Amino acid sequence: MALRSLSILNLLKTKNHVFINNLSNPLLKSNKILYSTEVTVEATPLAVNTQKVSKAMKAYLQRAQEHDQFMKTQHIEYEIGKRHLANMMGEDPETFTQEDVDNAIEYLFPSGIYDKLARPAMKSPDQVFPARKAAEFDETGRPFHSMFYTGRPNFFKLLYDIVEEINKLNDMEERMIRRGTKADAEQKVDLTGFQWIPKEQLEKQLVEMIADIEYNNFVNAMDRLVAHPYSYKMKDFIYKYTKPLLDQSKQPEIPKPQIDEQGRQFITTYECLRKKARADVTIRLPGTGQIKINGEDITYFEHAQSREQIIFPLIFTNMLGKVDIEANVAGGGWSGQAGAIRWGIAMSLRSFVDQDMIEEMRLAGLLTRDYRRRERKKFGQEGARRKYTWKKR
């Protein structure tokens, strides 16, 4: 009895061991129960079902997760910044588009910075950061995409989708023929004024590099889809891979200079607006740098800031001392009048400079009309934004 108690005690002290000695023993397979005064225990480690993951795969999955988390954080910060910008402009944050964001930034920074690299910008993270493929396989090495082993799964999946759309249209055409109806020719997809996206843009969209022959296969497949009588059923799919042709006729027309009695070229710009000021500006070439404002010289403005506003377009275009300026202005204060004349000078100088200089003037904000007005005082406030001092007692 003491021997049996000692054996059971040793059995209870044993951890992580297997208590069956031999599963292949025919006696153990039967339903008989064998009794013994001793229990034989053999230490056998438990089998743990673990799979080793290579360091390269771990690093790959970790980089993919970090990139996804980074993009998620950037999207959250972009939405917060867009909401703040919409509140500053008094717009609805829910309907504030990227075009509204660009216009707001141009409004808040009208002319202070004219270098392309220095101008502030607020774009979606998808446009700022280059697209990267997500994790293509799990820790066991099993690929997520069914076309992973083609080398370009996204591209071949696109070709597969095009063929699937064509097959759907073929089935629809057969059903309509059985009913005795034909496709409406007036609803046919018309790609006039559109073109297929170029190879570089398709590569960015697919996040894959493709060869020229593969891009030609894509174009041929899309042409077959568009040529189908029922292609108008797949308009959304087709227009996703098109882009409009550039319309050169929408370029702003620059007026040609006229000739005065003295044989000099001149150009006059009317309706120069700034706040409540209204002005018209005439520039004559060649000139000696003479500036006349309501019959007076530049000392018409007492403040140096207003005078700098007047001559800034001339300095920027290297036309200071080469032209004569005549301006008539009325209404508003000194700041509004100077701004109206400055815009009129810049618009008139377009007729005397080349296209590159016009582009630099546009980037500098000289050709952008400033529609800002003085904000009215609000009831119950000390000013437009200023509040009365709150006192508890």
Side-chain angles (χ1 to χ4, degrees), residues 70-88:
F70 171 76
M71 292 300 296
K72 182 179 179 180
T73 305
Q74 293 296 322
H75 277 287
I76 294 175
E77 293 179 354
Y78 171 74
E79 292 298 331
I80 294 175
K82 188 171 69 172
R83 184 173 293 273
H84 285 314
L85 195 60
N87 294 333
M88 291 172 61

Side-chain angles (χ1 to χ4, degrees), residues 356-370:
D356 294 338
M357 180 57 69
I358 294 177
E359 179 66 16
E360 293 181 8
M361 293 171 64
R362 185 187 67 81
L363 294 176
L366 292 174
L367 305 180
T368 302
R369 179 170 286 176
D370 193 351

Side-chain angles (χ1 to χ4, degrees), residues 271-279 329-340 370-375:
E271 291 297 323
C272 305
L273 312 179
R274 176 71 177 98
K275 294 184 178 179
K276 296 182 179 180
R278 301 293 183 269
V329 63
W334 55 268
S335 176
Q337 291 186 357
D370 193 351
Y371 288 99
R372 292 179 298 175
R373 301 291 294 269
R374 180 181 177 85
E375 189 174 353

Side-chain angles (χ1 to χ4, degrees), residues 241-292:
Y241 299 99
T242 60
K243 74 172 206 175
L245 294 171
L246 295 178
D247 189 3
Q248 300 295 336
S249 62
K250 293 184 179 180
Q251 294 288 343
E253 296 184 0
I254 300 175
K256 295 182 179 180
Q258 302 178 6
I259 306 299
D260 61 5
E261 300 176 352
Q262 301 177 358
R264 295 192 301 172
Q265 300 180 5
F266 76 95
I267 191 74
T268 302
T269 302
Y270 299 95
E271 291 297 323
C272 305
L273 312 179
R274 176 71 177 98
K275 294 184 178 179
K276 296 182 179 180
R278 301 293 183 269
D280 57 85
V281 178
T282 301
I283 292 183
R284 302 182 186 275
L285 181 73
T288 59
Q290 186 179 10
I291 299 177
K292 291 290 185 180

Side-chain angles (χ1 to χ4, degrees), residues 186-218:
E186 295 182 358
Q187 296 186 6
K188 186 177 180 181
V189 176
D190 186 12
L191 294 182
T192 304
F194 291 87
Q195 63 179 355
W196 300 117
I197 58 177
K199 175 186 170 184
E200 293 76 12
Q201 187 174 350
L202 181 62
E203 290 176 342
K204 290 182 180 180
Q205 189 168 343
L206 298 176
V207 201
E208 291 177 352
M209 301 297 293
I210 59 177
D212 294 337
I213 187 172
E214 293 173 338
Y215 177 75
N216 294 335
N217 293 337
F218 159 76

